[in-house]
Amino acid sequence: MEKTMKKNPLYFCLFLLPTLLAFMIGFVIPFGMGIYLSLCDFNTVNDAKFVGVENYMQIFQGDDTFVHSFWFTALFAVISTVAINVIAFMVAVLLTKNFGGTNLFRTVFFMPNLLGGVLLGTIWKVLLNGVLVMFKETLTTKGVYGFIGLLILIIWQQVGYMMIIYVAGLQGVSDDLKEAARIDGANNRQILFKITIPLVMPSISMCTFLSITNGFKLFDQNLTLTGGEPMHNTEMLALNIYNSFYDRIGWKGVGQAKAVIFFLLVGLIAIVQLKLTQSKEAD
Amino acid sequence: MKKRLALILASAMLVSSAVCSLTSCNGGGAGGSSAKGHVYYLNFKPEQDKAWQDLAAEYTEETGVTVDVETAADGKYEETLSAAMARSDAPTLFQVNGPVGLANWKDYCYDLSDAAVTKELTNDAYALKADGKTYGVGYVTETYGIIVNKKLLSDAGHSLDEIKDFDSLKAVAEDITANSAKLGFSAFTNASLKSGDDWRMQTHLANLPIYYEYKADGISSTDAIKGTYLDNYRAIFDLYLNNSTCDPKIVTSKTVDDARAEFISGQAVFYQNGSWEYARVSEALGDDNLAMIPIYIGVEGEENQGLCTGTENYWTVNCNAAEEDIQATLDFLEWVVTSDKGTDALANKMNFVSPFKKAKEATNLFEKMSIDYTSSGKTAVSWNFATMPSEAWKTELGSALAVYAANPTDDTWAGVKEAFVDNWAAEVAKSKK
């Protein structure tokens, strides 16, 4: 059968064409259009006029918010990635020990992930403002409140998801290895760093990949929690792009150019991160 | 061989069905393009969605022409319009908010100079023009000012007759604040400075210094605002902040819904907002307890100032639509503004005051008050929002006001001034059209 599949282009078409078509329609074509539009002045996608790299120039000349957003987002992505993964790993280690109710706890930790970003942003806004109001402050009076608020939110939301991946990884680590190490005189710390972590490295690279790209792409939570206030201080890249798209007449092309740069940045960072963690994976 | 043929046919069917669903070649939505044409209205106002749907159904019943009404989500009109106009079955009828909006969409706007609906306008000022041609028709005029709970005002020992200008407004408000513990209510609702909810301050209130500056300079728009009346803007904003239900430091967490709730539940006497709030506040408080007064900011001669009345809702017809669809849309508009059913729906179901010759009298108390002010010789304040250079300008001003509210000093006010004056010119320069 496999042989016929490979030899017969008809079967190839029949099985792969629908998916390929969906991929073209849903991804490749819009992506190509997006790149073309970033070089155009347009209002709707049908009336694009080619203007060359003008939009790209505008990002750095006419608008100082993009660079700020980049650094803000980068800082956020790094801190949130570290925090999410450390906490998720610790929780996962705890919840793979033998005690009652681990399934219940796993469910509880995973639950926030089932809620949508807009909803989370709104809920956390009410909660955090409720605390800050006692100090006569709100989430948007200082940029740092918004930053910490976003961190709390994203950690709370993502820890459960990463935890499930780590739990799966940890359960794959054979007890024989740990037992052998213990007989050889390794303490718990050594077992964790020399046996367990190297063996769950594939999970770690998966999770760091997910959380760093999530950090960069964060939009709904940012929009509803702070809306970029005060004065664009907590405006992350995705929100910045969205705002430039609709805030000014004739700036849709600039927003599109920002989106292309955004894609390249996230792609580059994700590739570097994958290469780094994958090189540490045990064979 | 037979098998192969079947496979080819199967994959051909798959491809064609995929392509078909993409371009919707099975008729292009409800109604299609019959000989009579078809109207597709992208409505701006969510609160009138039901009324438009009903009116569209009545028109279809009467004439057989299909009218589709789609309403954009609150505050998402530009987004919805950009997406809808790119479709092959684009809206035939949409709206722009004034000169700045028209500049953006001009390539899509049909010349309405000779249209019947334009000729029905009572005042040429409601025709949106560019290069001597009419592209938009204002279909509703709205009014804003300070909505007053008259019952609370008299409970506090004051009456509307006392308030003639900024100083008297300030005196009344500060007196209420001084006694607010005893009275159990405050002068103003919170100023709702949460981003996205700050339009009452960064657009509507900001209109007043702009109006007076334009008036003093004898212009109707500018590329560089001077901010002549910014001190007055600060004075009224301070009055709102310092005499309100809420500590100014936390007003950045408040929404317009919060402010309305405070007003309806009798926690505040004054609430700056417009005639679109009529249905909600009159239901709770009753017409007899309500009034609307002008927003006084302390400019000389303001005793003769009326309410702020204008429009940022202009109908425009899509010039790229099929010939028969354009004609159907023009016929529909004419029917809406001249027929009994149409004018009745505009006035009584949508509570609109429409600037058309056959328009029915409005039921909206605040609109009636606006007419009363004008007929007693006061001058209505025009809406100049449409001359604000961009959405970004408004957002920036709102952010600066939020910073000022949290820490009201001359330094933070300098930030407001920068957002108002310097950023105006900067945004004009950045806008490409």
Side-chain angles (χ1 to χ4, degrees), chain A residues 14 43-44 46-47 55 62 125 133 136 138 229 231-232 242 246-249 251-252, chain B residues 7 76 79 82 86 100 104-105 108 194-195 247 250 252 390-392 396 399 427 430 432:
Chain A
L14 183 66
N43 199 17
T44 67
N46 302 334
D47 63 359
N55 292 326
K125 187 192 183 89
V133 86
K136 298 257 181 260
T138 70
E229 296 293 307
M231 309 294 289
H232 302 291
Y242 172 83
Y246 293 110
D247 263 9
R248 271 182 211 116
I249 287 173
W251 271 58
K252 290 207 168 96
Chain B
L7 276 171
K76 290 279 168 280
E79 284 90 328
S82 302
V100 174
N104 198 16
W105 289 104
Y108 292 82
K194 178 181 170 285
S195 71
D247 187 321
I250 59 162
T252 48
S390 66
E391 280 305 307
E396 210 74 24
S399 301
E427 287 294 332
K430 278 178 191 173
K432 290 182 178 173

mmCIF file of all heavy atoms in Angstrom, chain A residues 14 43-44 46-47 55 62 125 133 136 138 229 231-232 242 246-249 251-252, chain B residues 7 76 79 82 86 100 104-105 108 194-195 247 250 252 390-392 396 399 427 430 432:
data_model
loop_
_atom_site.group_PDB
_atom_site.id
_atom_site.type_symbol
_atom_site.label_atom_id
_atom_site.label_comp_id
_atom_site.label_asym_id
_atom_site.label_seq_id
_atom_site.Cartn_x
_atom_site.Cartn_y
_atom_site.Cartn_z
ATOM 1 N N LEU A 14 -5.267 12.724 -3.936
ATOM 2 C CA LEU A 14 -6.524 12.478 -3.244
ATOM 3 C C LEU A 14 -6.397 12.715 -1.744
ATOM 4 O O LEU A 14 -7.241 13.344 -1.125
ATOM 5 C CB LEU A 14 -6.987 11.037 -3.498
ATOM 6 C CG LEU A 14 -8.341 10.713 -2.867
ATOM 7 C CD1 LEU A 14 -9.430 11.528 -3.529
ATOM 8 C CD2 LEU A 14 -8.630 9.237 -2.978
ATOM 9 N N ASN A 43 -6.395 50.612 2.031
ATOM 10 C CA ASN A 43 -7.471 50.797 2.994
ATOM 11 C C ASN A 43 -8.245 49.496 3.155
ATOM 12 O O ASN A 43 -8.512 49.042 4.250
ATOM 13 C CB ASN A 43 -8.381 51.928 2.525
ATOM 14 C CG ASN A 43 -9.200 52.464 3.669
ATOM 15 O OD1 ASN A 43 -8.885 52.226 4.832
ATOM 16 N ND2 ASN A 43 -10.262 53.162 3.358
ATOM 17 N N THR A 44 -8.618 48.879 2.036
ATOM 18 C CA THR A 44 -9.084 47.499 2.089
ATOM 19 C C THR A 44 -8.087 46.701 1.251
ATOM 20 O O THR A 44 -7.345 47.287 0.460
ATOM 21 C CB THR A 44 -10.486 47.339 1.494
ATOM 22 O OG1 THR A 44 -10.408 47.600 0.100
ATOM 23 C CG2 THR A 44 -11.471 48.278 2.137
ATOM 24 N N ASN A 46 -8.269 45.174 -1.319
ATOM 25 C CA ASN A 46 -8.416 45.210 -2.778
ATOM 26 C C ASN A 46 -7.863 46.468 -3.424
ATOM 27 O O ASN A 46 -7.687 46.516 -4.628
ATOM 28 C CB ASN A 46 -9.899 45.119 -3.159
ATOM 29 C CG ASN A 46 -10.529 43.865 -2.622
ATOM 30 O OD1 ASN A 46 -9.844 42.881 -2.405
ATOM 31 N ND2 ASN A 46 -11.821 43.910 -2.387
ATOM 32 N N ASP A 47 -7.637 47.522 -2.635
ATOM 33 C CA ASP A 47 -7.247 48.784 -3.274
ATOM 34 C C ASP A 47 -5.801 49.159 -2.970
ATOM 35 O O ASP A 47 -5.469 50.317 -2.808
ATOM 36 C CB ASP A 47 -8.205 49.908 -2.866
ATOM 37 C CG ASP A 47 -8.151 50.196 -1.372
ATOM 38 O OD1 ASP A 47 -7.383 49.514 -0.669
ATOM 39 O OD2 ASP A 47 -8.860 51.096 -0.920
ATOM 40 N N ASN A 55 6.570 52.140 4.210
ATOM 41 C CA ASN A 55 5.944 51.760 5.474
ATOM 42 C C ASN A 55 6.982 51.355 6.516
ATOM 43 O O ASN A 55 6.841 51.659 7.691
ATOM 44 C CB ASN A 55 4.978 50.591 5.266
ATOM 45 C CG ASN A 55 3.781 50.999 4.453
ATOM 46 O OD1 ASN A 55 3.322 52.134 4.550
ATOM 47 N ND2 ASN A 55 3.294 50.095 3.626
ATOM 48 N N GLY A 62 8.440 57.705 12.092
ATOM 49 C CA GLY A 62 7.251 58.430 12.508
ATOM 50 C C GLY A 62 6.662 57.949 13.818
ATOM 51 O O GLY A 62 5.687 58.496 14.296
ATOM 52 N N LYS A 125 -8.394 42.211 35.966
ATOM 53 C CA LYS A 125 -8.426 43.659 36.102
ATOM 54 C C LYS A 125 -9.249 44.052 37.325
ATOM 55 O O LYS A 125 -8.827 44.868 38.138
ATOM 56 C CB LYS A 125 -9.040 44.237 34.839
ATOM 57 C CG LYS A 125 -8.991 45.725 34.776
ATOM 58 C CD LYS A 125 -9.876 46.142 33.634
ATOM 59 C CE LYS A 125 -9.824 47.606 33.461
ATOM 60 N NZ LYS A 125 -8.767 48.004 32.584
ATOM 61 N N VAL A 133 -6.784 49.614 44.756
ATOM 62 C CA VAL A 133 -7.603 50.756 45.145
ATOM 63 C C VAL A 133 -7.386 51.098 46.621
ATOM 64 O O VAL A 133 -7.506 52.242 47.033
ATOM 65 C CB VAL A 133 -9.091 50.462 44.826
ATOM 66 C CG1 VAL A 133 -9.767 49.726 45.943
ATOM 67 C CG2 VAL A 133 -9.830 51.740 44.498
ATOM 68 N N LYS A 136 -4.909 53.634 46.774
ATOM 69 C CA LYS A 136 -5.240 54.766 45.910
ATOM 70 C C LYS A 136 -4.480 54.707 44.588
ATOM 71 O O LYS A 136 -3.922 55.693 44.121
ATOM 72 C CB LYS A 136 -4.922 56.097 46.612
ATOM 73 C CG LYS A 136 -5.730 56.307 47.872
ATOM 74 C CD LYS A 136 -6.856 57.294 47.597
ATOM 75 C CE LYS A 136 -7.682 57.565 48.827
ATOM 76 N NZ LYS A 136 -8.937 56.812 48.836
ATOM 77 N N THR A 138 -4.428 52.488 40.543
ATOM 78 C CA THR A 138 -5.093 51.514 39.684
ATOM 79 C C THR A 138 -4.024 50.856 38.820
ATOM 80 O O THR A 138 -2.871 51.294 38.806
ATOM 81 C CB THR A 138 -6.138 52.156 38.756
ATOM 82 O OG1 THR A 138 -5.448 52.923 37.782
ATOM 83 C CG2 THR A 138 -7.108 53.024 39.514
ATOM 84 N N GLU A 229 -2.219 51.191 28.494
ATOM 85 C CA GLU A 229 -2.052 52.378 29.341
ATOM 86 C C GLU A 229 -1.003 52.115 30.409
ATOM 87 O O GLU A 229 -0.750 50.969 30.734
ATOM 88 C CB GLU A 229 -3.381 52.742 29.994
ATOM 89 C CG GLU A 229 -4.460 53.155 29.012
ATOM 90 C CD GLU A 229 -4.152 54.456 28.311
ATOM 91 O OE1 GLU A 229 -3.881 55.456 29.013
ATOM 92 O OE2 GLU A 229 -4.165 54.487 27.072
ATOM 93 N N MET A 231 -0.037 55.749 28.683
ATOM 94 C CA MET A 231 0.760 56.319 27.595
ATOM 95 C C MET A 231 1.574 55.262 26.833
ATOM 96 O O MET A 231 2.779 55.379 26.708
ATOM 97 C CB MET A 231 1.733 57.393 28.114
ATOM 98 C CG MET A 231 1.132 58.468 28.988
ATOM 99 S SD MET A 231 -0.037 59.555 28.175
ATOM 100 C CE MET A 231 0.972 60.530 27.108
ATOM 101 N N HIS A 232 0.950 54.232 26.352
ATOM 102 C CA HIS A 232 1.587 53.156 25.584
ATOM 103 C C HIS A 232 2.611 52.366 26.378
ATOM 104 O O HIS A 232 3.344 51.546 25.831
ATOM 105 C CB HIS A 232 2.291 53.685 24.328
ATOM 106 C CG HIS A 232 1.375 54.405 23.410
ATOM 107 N ND1 HIS A 232 0.392 53.761 22.711
ATOM 108 C CD2 HIS A 232 1.291 55.709 23.085
ATOM 109 C CE1 HIS A 232 -0.261 54.657 21.980
ATOM 110 N NE2 HIS A 232 0.251 55.843 22.194
ATOM 111 N N TYR A 242 -1.990 46.234 16.196
ATOM 112 C CA TYR A 242 -3.439 46.411 16.073
ATOM 113 C C TYR A 242 -3.800 47.893 16.123
ATOM 114 O O TYR A 242 -4.569 48.389 15.309
ATOM 115 C CB TYR A 242 -4.111 45.641 17.206
ATOM 116 C CG TYR A 242 -5.592 45.854 17.344
ATOM 117 C CD1 TYR A 242 -6.489 45.149 16.561
ATOM 118 C CD2 TYR A 242 -6.097 46.757 18.282
ATOM 119 C CE1 TYR A 242 -7.850 45.334 16.702
ATOM 120 C CE2 TYR A 242 -7.452 46.947 18.428
ATOM 121 C CZ TYR A 242 -8.326 46.236 17.635
ATOM 122 O OH TYR A 242 -9.678 46.427 17.780
ATOM 123 N N TYR A 246 -5.568 50.744 13.080
ATOM 124 C CA TYR A 246 -6.848 51.455 13.062
ATOM 125 C C TYR A 246 -6.800 52.876 13.610
ATOM 126 O O TYR A 246 -7.780 53.591 13.517
ATOM 127 C CB TYR A 246 -7.888 50.656 13.842
ATOM 128 C CG TYR A 246 -8.236 49.361 13.157
ATOM 129 C CD1 TYR A 246 -7.857 48.142 13.681
ATOM 130 C CD2 TYR A 246 -8.921 49.383 11.943
ATOM 131 C CE1 TYR A 246 -8.166 46.964 13.031
ATOM 132 C CE2 TYR A 246 -9.226 48.209 11.287
ATOM 133 C CZ TYR A 246 -8.847 47.006 11.839
ATOM 134 O OH TYR A 246 -9.154 45.854 11.187
ATOM 135 N N ASP A 247 -5.697 53.281 14.229
ATOM 136 C CA ASP A 247 -5.693 54.570 14.911
ATOM 137 C C ASP A 247 -5.512 55.766 14.006
ATOM 138 O O ASP A 247 -5.840 56.874 14.361
ATOM 139 C CB ASP A 247 -4.575 54.592 15.963
ATOM 140 C CG ASP A 247 -5.132 54.260 17.328
ATOM 141 O OD1 ASP A 247 -6.299 53.872 17.388
ATOM 142 O OD2 ASP A 247 -4.392 54.401 18.308
ATOM 143 N N ARG A 248 -4.928 55.549 12.848
ATOM 144 C CA ARG A 248 -4.632 56.669 11.975
ATOM 145 C C ARG A 248 -5.015 56.330 10.562
ATOM 146 O O ARG A 248 -4.817 55.195 10.122
ATOM 147 C CB ARG A 248 -3.133 56.967 11.984
ATOM 148 C CG ARG A 248 -2.733 57.907 13.044
ATOM 149 C CD ARG A 248 -1.256 58.192 12.953
ATOM 150 N NE ARG A 248 -0.790 58.460 14.296
ATOM 151 C CZ ARG A 248 0.078 57.718 14.939
ATOM 152 N NH1 ARG A 248 0.618 56.677 14.362
ATOM 153 N NH2 ARG A 248 0.427 58.020 16.160
ATOM 154 N N ILE A 249 -5.486 57.340 9.864
ATOM 155 C CA ILE A 249 -5.849 57.101 8.475
ATOM 156 C C ILE A 249 -4.585 56.913 7.646
ATOM 157 O O ILE A 249 -3.614 57.651 7.805
ATOM 158 C CB ILE A 249 -6.682 58.275 7.958
ATOM 159 C CG1 ILE A 249 -8.059 58.171 8.589
ATOM 160 C CG2 ILE A 249 -6.779 58.266 6.461
ATOM 161 C CD1 ILE A 249 -8.930 59.326 8.321
ATOM 162 N N TRP A 251 -2.575 54.364 7.766
ATOM 163 C CA TRP A 251 -1.503 53.648 8.465
ATOM 164 C C TRP A 251 -1.669 52.145 8.430
ATOM 165 O O TRP A 251 -0.960 51.434 9.127
ATOM 166 C CB TRP A 251 -1.404 54.141 9.918
ATOM 167 C CG TRP A 251 -0.479 55.300 10.016
ATOM 168 C CD1 TRP A 251 -0.595 56.487 9.333
ATOM 169 C CD2 TRP A 251 0.723 55.402 10.795
ATOM 170 N NE1 TRP A 251 0.446 57.315 9.653
ATOM 171 C CE2 TRP A 251 1.272 56.676 10.547
ATOM 172 C CE3 TRP A 251 1.372 54.531 11.671
ATOM 173 C CZ2 TRP A 251 2.450 57.095 11.157
ATOM 174 C CZ3 TRP A 251 2.538 54.960 12.274
ATOM 175 C CH2 TRP A 251 3.073 56.229 12.006
ATOM 176 N N LYS A 252 -2.597 51.648 7.641
ATOM 177 C CA LYS A 252 -2.789 50.201 7.608
ATOM 178 C C LYS A 252 -1.534 49.517 7.081
ATOM 179 O O LYS A 252 -1.132 48.471 7.576
ATOM 180 C CB LYS A 252 -3.995 49.844 6.752
ATOM 181 C CG LYS A 252 -5.301 50.255 7.417
ATOM 182 C CD LYS A 252 -6.451 49.397 6.971
ATOM 183 C CE LYS A 252 -7.656 49.606 7.840
ATOM 184 N NZ LYS A 252 -8.619 50.553 7.313
ATOM 185 N N LEU B 7 -11.606 8.677 -9.421
ATOM 186 C CA LEU B 7 -10.752 9.465 -8.534
ATOM 187 C C LEU B 7 -10.597 10.901 -9.014
ATOM 188 O O LEU B 7 -10.679 11.852 -8.247
ATOM 189 C CB LEU B 7 -9.373 8.810 -8.441
ATOM 190 C CG LEU B 7 -9.272 7.688 -7.417
ATOM 191 C CD1 LEU B 7 -7.953 6.973 -7.553
ATOM 192 C CD2 LEU B 7 -9.442 8.238 -6.025
ATOM 193 N N LYS B 76 -16.394 49.070 17.051
ATOM 194 C CA LYS B 76 -15.584 48.283 16.125
ATOM 195 C C LYS B 76 -16.008 48.543 14.670
ATOM 196 O O LYS B 76 -15.860 47.688 13.810
ATOM 197 C CB LYS B 76 -15.727 46.779 16.440
ATOM 198 C CG LYS B 76 -15.062 46.381 17.742
ATOM 199 C CD LYS B 76 -13.568 46.181 17.576
ATOM 200 C CE LYS B 76 -12.839 46.071 18.878
ATOM 201 N NZ LYS B 76 -12.553 47.354 19.533
ATOM 202 N N GLU B 79 -13.104 48.581 11.890
ATOM 203 C CA GLU B 79 -12.592 47.238 11.669
ATOM 204 C C GLU B 79 -13.556 46.444 10.791
ATOM 205 O O GLU B 79 -13.167 45.819 9.814
ATOM 206 C CB GLU B 79 -12.415 46.492 13.000
ATOM 207 C CG GLU B 79 -11.214 46.907 13.819
ATOM 208 C CD GLU B 79 -11.512 48.037 14.775
ATOM 209 O OE1 GLU B 79 -12.369 48.899 14.456
ATOM 210 O OE2 GLU B 79 -10.890 48.083 15.853
ATOM 211 N N SER B 82 -13.693 47.874 7.196
ATOM 212 C CA SER B 82 -12.514 47.537 6.383
ATOM 213 C C SER B 82 -12.620 46.121 5.838
ATOM 214 O O SER B 82 -12.290 45.862 4.689
ATOM 215 C CB SER B 82 -11.232 47.624 7.208
ATOM 216 O OG SER B 82 -11.076 48.880 7.743
ATOM 217 N N ALA B 86 -13.861 44.807 1.601
ATOM 218 C CA ALA B 86 -12.961 44.009 0.776
ATOM 219 C C ALA B 86 -13.673 42.808 0.168
ATOM 220 O O ALA B 86 -13.136 42.140 -0.702
ATOM 221 C CB ALA B 86 -11.773 43.555 1.614
ATOM 222 N N VAL B 100 -12.743 63.692 8.199
ATOM 223 C CA VAL B 100 -11.581 62.809 8.320
ATOM 224 C C VAL B 100 -11.934 61.393 7.856
ATOM 225 O O VAL B 100 -11.197 60.751 7.114
ATOM 226 C CB VAL B 100 -11.030 62.814 9.766
ATOM 227 C CG1 VAL B 100 -9.932 61.788 9.926
ATOM 228 C CG2 VAL B 100 -10.500 64.189 10.118
ATOM 229 N N ASN B 104 -10.732 59.070 4.280
ATOM 230 C CA ASN B 104 -10.296 57.683 4.266
ATOM 231 C C ASN B 104 -11.060 56.842 3.250
ATOM 232 O O ASN B 104 -10.501 55.968 2.613
ATOM 233 C CB ASN B 104 -10.484 57.104 5.670
ATOM 234 C CG ASN B 104 -9.693 55.845 5.885
ATOM 235 O OD1 ASN B 104 -8.767 55.542 5.114
ATOM 236 N ND2 ASN B 104 -10.027 55.101 6.906
ATOM 237 N N TRP B 105 -12.355 57.099 3.104
ATOM 238 C CA TRP B 105 -13.219 56.222 2.322
ATOM 239 C C TRP B 105 -13.689 56.829 1.016
ATOM 240 O O TRP B 105 -14.561 56.279 0.357
ATOM 241 C CB TRP B 105 -14.433 55.800 3.168
ATOM 242 C CG TRP B 105 -14.048 54.848 4.245
ATOM 243 C CD1 TRP B 105 -13.909 55.128 5.568
ATOM 244 C CD2 TRP B 105 -13.710 53.468 4.090
ATOM 245 N NE1 TRP B 105 -13.512 54.008 6.240
ATOM 246 C CE2 TRP B 105 -13.382 52.965 5.365
ATOM 247 C CE3 TRP B 105 -13.654 52.600 2.999
ATOM 248 C CZ2 TRP B 105 -13.002 51.649 5.581
ATOM 249 C CZ3 TRP B 105 -13.279 51.282 3.211
ATOM 250 C CH2 TRP B 105 -12.954 50.829 4.487
ATOM 251 N N TYR B 108 -14.627 55.132 -2.156
ATOM 252 C CA TYR B 108 -15.749 54.199 -2.116
ATOM 253 C C TYR B 108 -17.098 54.923 -2.086
ATOM 254 O O TYR B 108 -18.134 54.289 -2.019
ATOM 255 C CB TYR B 108 -15.651 53.302 -0.881
ATOM 256 C CG TYR B 108 -14.482 52.351 -0.935
ATOM 257 C CD1 TYR B 108 -13.201 52.765 -0.582
ATOM 258 C CD2 TYR B 108 -14.652 51.042 -1.367
ATOM 259 C CE1 TYR B 108 -12.123 51.907 -0.650
ATOM 260 C CE2 TYR B 108 -13.580 50.173 -1.430
ATOM 261 C CZ TYR B 108 -12.317 50.608 -1.078
ATOM 262 O OH TYR B 108 -11.259 49.750 -1.141
ATOM 263 N N LYS B 194 -11.033 55.168 32.174
ATOM 264 C CA LYS B 194 -10.463 53.916 31.676
ATOM 265 C C LYS B 194 -10.296 54.041 30.169
ATOM 266 O O LYS B 194 -11.178 54.581 29.504
ATOM 267 C CB LYS B 194 -11.430 52.773 32.006
ATOM 268 C CG LYS B 194 -10.983 51.432 31.506
ATOM 269 C CD LYS B 194 -12.020 50.382 31.860
ATOM 270 C CE LYS B 194 -11.736 49.081 31.167
ATOM 271 N NZ LYS B 194 -12.062 49.094 29.735
ATOM 272 N N SER B 195 -9.194 53.552 29.632
ATOM 273 C CA SER B 195 -8.999 53.723 28.194
ATOM 274 C C SER B 195 -10.106 52.993 27.462
ATOM 275 O O SER B 195 -10.471 51.881 27.815
ATOM 276 C CB SER B 195 -7.629 53.205 27.764
ATOM 277 O OG SER B 195 -7.596 51.811 27.832
ATOM 278 N N ASP B 247 -12.694 59.048 44.090
ATOM 279 C CA ASP B 247 -11.368 59.640 44.268
ATOM 280 C C ASP B 247 -10.690 59.756 42.901
ATOM 281 O O ASP B 247 -10.602 58.766 42.175
ATOM 282 C CB ASP B 247 -10.569 58.717 45.198
ATOM 283 C CG ASP B 247 -9.241 59.332 45.588
ATOM 284 O OD1 ASP B 247 -8.609 59.955 44.728
ATOM 285 O OD2 ASP B 247 -8.852 59.175 46.760
ATOM 286 N N ILE B 250 -8.333 57.038 41.430
ATOM 287 C CA ILE B 250 -8.747 55.722 40.917
ATOM 288 C C ILE B 250 -9.754 55.826 39.774
ATOM 289 O O ILE B 250 -10.344 54.830 39.361
ATOM 290 C CB ILE B 250 -9.315 54.826 42.041
ATOM 291 C CG1 ILE B 250 -10.524 55.496 42.687
ATOM 292 C CG2 ILE B 250 -8.260 54.504 43.075
ATOM 293 C CD1 ILE B 250 -11.372 54.534 43.475
ATOM 294 N N THR B 252 -9.226 56.160 36.784
ATOM 295 C CA THR B 252 -8.783 55.441 35.582
ATOM 296 C C THR B 252 -9.283 54.004 35.541
ATOM 297 O O THR B 252 -9.107 53.318 34.552
ATOM 298 C CB THR B 252 -7.243 55.392 35.494
ATOM 299 O OG1 THR B 252 -6.742 54.981 36.759
ATOM 300 C CG2 THR B 252 -6.682 56.729 35.126
ATOM 301 N N SER B 390 -6.819 62.295 14.324
ATOM 302 C CA SER B 390 -6.838 60.832 14.229
ATOM 303 C C SER B 390 -7.348 60.234 15.523
ATOM 304 O O SER B 390 -7.451 60.917 16.544
ATOM 305 C CB SER B 390 -5.430 60.288 13.956
ATOM 306 O OG SER B 390 -4.605 60.559 15.072
ATOM 307 N N GLU B 391 -7.654 58.945 15.481
ATOM 308 C CA GLU B 391 -8.025 58.225 16.701
ATOM 309 C C GLU B 391 -6.876 58.262 17.695
ATOM 310 O O GLU B 391 -7.074 58.351 18.896
ATOM 311 C CB GLU B 391 -8.375 56.768 16.380
ATOM 312 C CG GLU B 391 -9.767 56.545 15.830
ATOM 313 C CD GLU B 391 -10.850 57.097 16.731
ATOM 314 O OE1 GLU B 391 -10.879 56.760 17.918
ATOM 315 O OE2 GLU B 391 -11.666 57.906 16.232
ATOM 316 N N ALA B 392 -5.647 58.192 17.152
ATOM 317 C CA ALA B 392 -4.472 58.179 18.023
ATOM 318 C C ALA B 392 -4.395 59.463 18.848
ATOM 319 O O ALA B 392 -3.977 59.442 19.999
ATOM 320 C CB ALA B 392 -3.204 57.993 17.196
ATOM 321 N N GLU B 396 -4.275 59.417 22.887
ATOM 322 C CA GLU B 396 -3.146 60.049 23.564
ATOM 323 C C GLU B 396 -3.628 61.081 24.582
ATOM 324 O O GLU B 396 -3.139 61.138 25.707
ATOM 325 C CB GLU B 396 -2.280 60.737 22.503
ATOM 326 C CG GLU B 396 -0.821 60.819 22.823
ATOM 327 C CD GLU B 396 -0.144 59.457 22.669
ATOM 328 O OE1 GLU B 396 -0.651 58.600 21.922
ATOM 329 O OE2 GLU B 396 0.881 59.274 23.312
ATOM 330 N N SER B 399 -4.996 59.338 27.604
ATOM 331 C CA SER B 399 -3.926 58.837 28.475
ATOM 332 C C SER B 399 -3.345 59.967 29.305
ATOM 333 O O SER B 399 -3.094 59.812 30.497
ATOM 334 C CB SER B 399 -2.800 58.218 27.647
ATOM 335 O OG SER B 399 -3.284 57.178 26.869
ATOM 336 N N GLU B 427 0.118 64.515 14.596
ATOM 337 C CA GLU B 427 -0.800 63.544 13.996
ATOM 338 C C GLU B 427 -1.243 63.976 12.601
ATOM 339 O O GLU B 427 -1.428 63.141 11.725
ATOM 340 C CB GLU B 427 -2.020 63.323 14.893
ATOM 341 C CG GLU B 427 -1.743 62.500 16.152
ATOM 342 C CD GLU B 427 -1.361 61.053 15.841
ATOM 343 O OE1 GLU B 427 -1.783 60.532 14.807
ATOM 344 O OE2 GLU B 427 -0.623 60.455 16.640
ATOM 345 N N LYS B 430 1.458 62.938 10.447
ATOM 346 C CA LYS B 430 1.571 61.491 10.271
ATOM 347 C C LYS B 430 0.481 60.920 9.366
ATOM 348 O O LYS B 430 0.707 59.958 8.652
ATOM 349 C CB LYS B 430 1.472 60.795 11.630
ATOM 350 C CG LYS B 430 2.779 60.777 12.396
ATOM 351 C CD LYS B 430 2.566 60.118 13.729
ATOM 352 C CE LYS B 430 3.753 60.315 14.640
ATOM 353 N NZ LYS B 430 3.472 59.812 15.988
ATOM 354 N N LYS B 432 -1.620 60.228 6.369
ATOM 355 C CA LYS B 432 -1.101 60.339 5.009
ATOM 356 C C LYS B 432 -2.091 60.953 4.034
ATOM 357 O O LYS B 432 -1.771 61.135 2.877
ATOM 358 C CB LYS B 432 -0.707 58.958 4.519
ATOM 359 C CG LYS B 432 0.514 58.421 5.239
ATOM 360 C CD LYS B 432 0.863 57.085 4.657
ATOM 361 C CE LYS B 432 2.120 56.521 5.301
ATOM 362 N NZ LYS B 432 2.343 55.165 4.831
#
